[in-house]
Structures are given as C-alpha cells and as structure tokens.
Amino acid sequence: MSLLLSPTQIESLLGLPIYPTSVSAAGDAVFFLARGEEDKRLGILAAAGSAQADRFAGDRSEKGGLILALCPLTAANAQALRAAFAWLTPTTLGLRTSAGCGDRLGLATPGHIHAARAAPGIAMIFAQQSIRENTRTGRTPQDVMDDATWGVFQEGWREGYGADADHLKTTADADSTAAAGYTFFTVDPGDHVDDAAHTATFTELQMKVAGLPWAGPSPGSGQALDSSVADMKARYLGKPFDLEDLRLIFTEEDLFRAAAKYARAVLHAARMYRHLNGKITGRPWELEVSVDETNTPTSHLEHLYIASELKRLGVRWVSLAPRYVGRFEKGVDYIGNLLEFERSFAGHAAIARAFGPYKLSLHSGSDKFSIYGIAARHAAGLVHLKTAGASYLEALRATASFDPGLFREIMAFAIERYETDRASYHVSAELAKVPPLNTMSDADLPGLLDQFDARQVLHVTYGSVLNDARFKKRFFTGLAAHETEHYATLERHFIRHLQPLCEK
Ligand SMILES: [Zn+2]
C-alpha cells in the first residue's frame, strides 16, 4: 500500500478525524495530528521497518506491511518531531517586521497562525513567555516551546517562527530557556534602572555617577563599565548628534542623568549578553533589550546613551524596547496624546536606525490599535510587537459565548481577586465600573471583553483563575471542545494587531 494517502483516506484507516493541514511526509513516514476522544495524538503512517517511526513512542499496530502509530503529545515526541521537520524548530527573525504572540494556555497557536496567514510578511513568534508568566501558569519553558510546536504542526505553518524567552532578569533564567531551544532572548535589566535619577538634582546625579562601577579587576570581564567619567564626557559632550532630522545635544546634566539612570542597566544587559553568547553555541539566536517596565519614560537622549553604551560594550541586539511616553496599560488601547507619541516615536526610530539598525519593540502591545500604524510608518517596518495577555482574554471571550455559566463564575472570581492581583501590573480599571453581571444576558457576556474595566480585571487575574481547581479543567476542556470558535475569536482579534504592521 502506498503512503500517499489523502487526509480522508487516513481518517478512514484510522477511524479518527485528523487535521488535514498537519499531514507532512518525512523520509519513509507520513505524520499527522489526530483528534482522539480525550486528546490530540500524533499519528504516523510508515512502511514496516521505518527508521523514522521508531523515533516516536506510542501505540502502534502493523497491518499489510504498514505501521500505524498513535503517540501522545509528550516532550520527547515533540523533540523527535522537530528533528524530523526543520520548520518546527524555532528560528531567528532578524530585522523583519515581527510580532510575538504569548500564549498562556498553550492552546492559541493555531488561532495566531490563522491571523498570520492574513498578514503575510510579518515574522511570527509563537512560543513566548516570561519567567513570571511561567510561575503563574505552572508551565516550564519547555512546555511553552512544545505547545507552540504542536500548534505549528497542526496548522502546517512552514514560514518559520521564533521563540521568545521574555523578560529575562538573571543568568539562571537565561540558562533554562537557552536549554529549551529559545531563539529570541529578551533581557530586562529594569531592576538596575535608577528611576530616582529622573528627578534628582545635578549634585545628586554627580554623586550617583561617581559611584558607578567604572573599572573592574580586568577590562572586558563584564564586571565594570571599563570607562571613566572623563571618557564618558568626551564621548557625549560638546558635539551634536545629528540623526536624520533629529539633532540631539547633551548638556552635562542630561548626560549625568542618563548615566545615573541607565549605566547599571546597560552593564547588566551586557553581562546577560556575554552569558548567553557563551551558553548558546552552534545555533543562531538574537537579543532584545527591554527597559519598558520602568516608571519613567526613556527620553531620546537616554535612548541614544543606552544604544551607544551597549555598542561600546560589544552587545549586538535586534530590538530594543524603551519605555515610551503615555500609558501602555494591560489589555487596552494606548492612553495618552497620540501626536506626542508620534513625535516621540519618530525620534526613537531615527536613533534605532542610526545606532543599529534595530527594531523598536512595543511591549504590553495588546490592543494598542491606535499606535500600530504610527509605529510601522515611522520605523519603516523595523518594529516588533509583543502581546502576552490578549490570547487569554480572547479565550475567555470564546468561553463566554459557549459556556456563559463558567464565564460568569470566572468573572465573579476575578472581581474578588482584582485588588490583590493588580499589584504588579499597569492597570487603572475600577471595580465599580465593571457592569454588574446579574443585569447582563448571556448574549451580552462576550461584549464584556470590550469593556475597559472588565477586560483589565480579567487580564491581571489569570494566575489566580488558572490555579483554581474550580475553573482550570472546565476552561481547558471547553476550549478544546470548541476549538474552531476559539481559533476564530483569536484570528479576528490578532488580524487587527498584525495587519496595521504591514502598512509601511
Ligand atoms: Zn515588557
């Protein structure tokens, strides 16, 4: 019997529905994803004695010279599948316009892919979680990677994808994600940013700068800035920086403020870069530097200082996330003056071209519909958009439509948890403004996901909801049973993120 079977023939042989887009041949075997009664299975059809099929663990039967195997979606099988198909292994994206779709549930990749197909040319990241998100969802970097792998396989997405180890703060975080095969490392030196420098007096700034780790035991060790106050002044003072239409001139106070605020962060980023460089060998990887989770906006002069110092310390990066003007609150549109954002972003883009080029990264990028076009235009496509919580919210929107009872319970619990759970997030939702559930019909519930306060309340409480035994299983089972609706909801929402990025 030939292995060149149609999806329908495979289904009748198997007695189970399969995902037609997943059917892929490698060597002497055909692989596909099947929908079992309880869960998904990796199916393999191969000639008897196939070496390919032997690399996977699962139930197998042999009939008429054919092996038919049904394998659980384990980490080992995911690893073997990545080895069989190069397009399943995450890759670097370089300077292509790109978008990262964090997926806290591990179910969203097919929906993200449906949206990506409607926005051709955008390089996608499907595996993306921070250590904080992993802690709150009880997943490991490997789980996140494998869930993305299965989603990419299900859809037969062969355009390549990246894997973002997001908001890495320590070398230990870097190690666990490097081991899991991540390709895009977002180093967050925010803990080393001195926000107090933002409003410090010049005298205070001079003291802070004098106290920086200028010299270490051996130059190039990454322990020190390998410079001096005099060197720094010579590098930045007494000359204009002309970057296209933007002319930047440091006063001594500007320079000391930039150094006091960011020098230790730059040094930490350089240390993380060196660490990763030593750790990851024999495969490509790329770096993003993010200072978005700090309290004060990054000025143009500060951005220039950061980029110039990173370069001086030998760091190479593909994207940088400054803290922009205005408010990037979770799960809602940009809050602030759009003209001011545009003017400011245009300057950041000029700096990124002059000192890179590198991409400007938009963190907390979910639902910032009013700025995507502005960003894509001014950066001429050198943009990375990062969304993390939107997929969870859209899963809730889908749930509200097919299981209103469960959604009401989750919403009521989120309201209870909000004041506690909001602590580490930029949100301004007020509980009093969430429409009362008991006045809403079931048909109105999905619309709550468009209401500012309800959306933020649901956004920041994901850890509590996913760790509560009352919800977790029902939530996941419901999404699995209604995956077509789930994917369609994600697709609708993410198209609105991705398509504006295509307009350069
Ligand atoms: Zn961020």
Side-chain angles (χ1 to χ4, degrees):
M1 190 193 254
S2 160
L3 289 175
L4 294 172
L5 300 175
S6 72
T8 323
Q9 288 170 310
I10 297 176
E11 284 182 334
S12 63
L13 195 70
L14 193 68
L16 288 175
I18 69 164
Y19 295 86
T21 45
S22 69
V23 179
S24 309
D28 56 5
V30 173
F31 295 80
F32 50 88
L33 202 63
R35 271 190 78 156
E37 308 235 307
E38 301 263 291
D39 47 19
K40 296 178 185 177
R41 297 271 148 167
L42 169 66
I44 309 169
L45 203 55
S50 159
Q52 270 293 11
D54 276 350
R55 300 192 179 102
F56 296 82
D59 299 329
R60 47 201 291 158
S61 56
E62 242 181 281
K63 202 161 61 185
L66 261 189
I67 299 171
L68 181 60
L70 276 178
C71 310
L73 305 193
T74 60
N77 285 337
Q79 179 58 40
L81 202 61
R82 284 189 292 265
F85 298 102
W87 45 272
L88 285 176
T89 298
T91 155
T92 50
L93 312 175
L95 293 179
R96 295 163 64 198
T97 307
S98 52
C101 299
D103 173 15
R104 290 173 179 163
L105 304 177
L107 301 174
T109 296
H112 295 151
I113 289 174
H114 292 182
R117 288 197 167 116
I122 308 281
M124 300 297 295
I125 285 179
F126 296 128
Q128 172 204 296
Q129 293 293 272
S130 65
I131 301 297
R132 179 173 77 186
E133 289 174 300
N134 278 330
T135 307
R136 291 189 180 167
T137 52
R139 299 164 81 207
T140 63
Q142 193 64 58
D143 293 336
V144 173
M145 176 71 77
D146 294 345
D147 287 335
T149 300
W150 294 118
V152 169
F153 178 64
Q154 178 179 314
E155 286 298 316
W157 172 261
R158 299 176 189 210
E159 311 296 316
Y161 69 103
D164 179 358
D166 198 11
H167 281 283
L168 299 176
K169 302 209 170 201
T170 65
T171 51
D173 297 347
D175 290 348
S176 61
T177 50
Y182 283 70
T183 51
F184 185 104
F185 295 82
T186 301
V187 164
D188 174 3
D191 293 347
H192 304 265
V193 172
D194 184 353
D195 276 314
H198 197 69
T199 49
T201 64
F202 187 47
T203 315
E204 288 166 337
L205 293 173
Q206 284 174 306
M207 283 171 60
K208 282 177 186 285
V209 168
L212 290 173
W214 290 104
S218 57
S221 68
Q223 300 307 307
L225 292 163
D226 298 337
S227 181
S228 67
V229 177
D231 278 355
M232 174 183 79
K233 286 162 85 170
R235 277 198 298 282
Y236 295 100
L237 295 182
K239 59 180 173 194
F241 289 86
D242 284 310
L243 317 169
E244 302 165 16
D245 297 342
L246 182 71
R247 166 166 279 208
L248 293 173
I249 300 172
F250 281 93
T251 65
E252 194 165 357
E253 185 167 337
D254 292 330
L255 176 60
F256 276 57
R257 197 176 305 284
K261 192 171 165 186
Y262 288 110
R264 288 176 200 275
V266 165
L267 184 58
H268 182 71
R271 215 179 283 137
M272 293 285 282
Y273 171 75
R274 284 202 188 94
H275 181 83
L276 283 161
N277 225 3
K279 198 87 197 168
I280 308 171
T281 48
R283 67 181 180 90
W285 64 281
E286 56 200 353
L287 182 78
E288 169 163 311
V289 178
S290 74
V291 291
D292 65 299
E293 291 195 357
T294 52
N295 290 323
T296 54
T298 312
S299 70
H300 290 155
L301 287 170
E302 289 166 346
H303 180 176
L304 186 157
Y305 169 86
I306 292 168
S308 163
E309 290 295 294
L310 285 170
K311 262 181 113 162
R312 184 178 65 79
L313 292 171
V315 179
R316 298 184 63 188
W317 68 100
V318 291
S319 52
L320 188 138
R323 162 80 157 79
Y324 301 103
V325 293
R327 275 152 60 198
F328 283 70
E329 291 195 7
K330 295 295 179 186
V332 297
D333 205 344
Y334 178 75
I335 303 173
N337 181 321
L338 281 177
L339 278 176
E340 191 193 351
F341 174 80
E342 180 159 9
R343 215 176 303 128
S344 166
F345 190 89
H348 285 301
I351 297 166
R353 281 190 288 271
F355 284 83
Y358 51 86
K359 293 186 272 192
L360 285 174
S361 187
L362 297 166
H363 282 221
S364 299
S366 301
D367 307 275
K368 302 296 177 290
F369 301 115
S370 58
I371 61 166
Y372 299 144
I374 297 173
R377 210 162 51 242
H378 284 283
L382 285 173
V383 179
H384 179 64
L385 169 66
K386 200 175 293 212
T387 81
S391 301
Y392 169 73
L393 290 172
E394 294 309 306
L396 283 173
R397 188 197 299 273
T399 301
S401 67
F402 61 71
D403 190 349
L406 173 60
F407 178 79
R408 281 177 194 275
E409 287 176 54
I410 291 176
M411 185 75 228
F413 179 65
I415 288 170
E416 272 173 43
R417 292 293 316 170
Y418 175 65
E419 291 301 344
T420 309
D421 290 353
R422 66 178 293 182
S424 55
Y425 292 101
H426 289 294
V427 284
S428 60
E430 293 172 43
L431 288 176
K433 293 185 181 166
V434 177
L437 278 176
N438 54 17
T439 65
M440 300 188 72
S441 71
D442 284 354
D444 290 337
L445 292 176
L448 264 184
L449 272 301
D450 297 316
Q451 199 276 333
F452 181 98
D453 302 273
R455 193 164 174 87
Q456 289 198 331
V457 166
L458 289 167
H459 190 294
V460 301
T461 50
Y462 74 93
S464 297
V465 170
L466 295 177
N467 283 303
D468 194 299
R470 284 173 296 171
F471 311 124
K472 188 170 183 178
K473 186 149 189 277
R474 285 154 72 205
F475 188 37
F476 277 83
T477 312
L479 289 169
H482 298 85
E483 67 176 10
T484 311
E485 283 161 87
H486 180 209
Y487 297 157
T489 307
L490 287 163
E491 179 181 355
R492 271 195 300 277
H493 195 68
F494 277 86
I495 281 179
R496 296 176 60 206
H497 288 72
L498 302 180
Q499 283 186 339
L501 296 181
C502 303
E503 300 159 13
K504 287 170 197 169

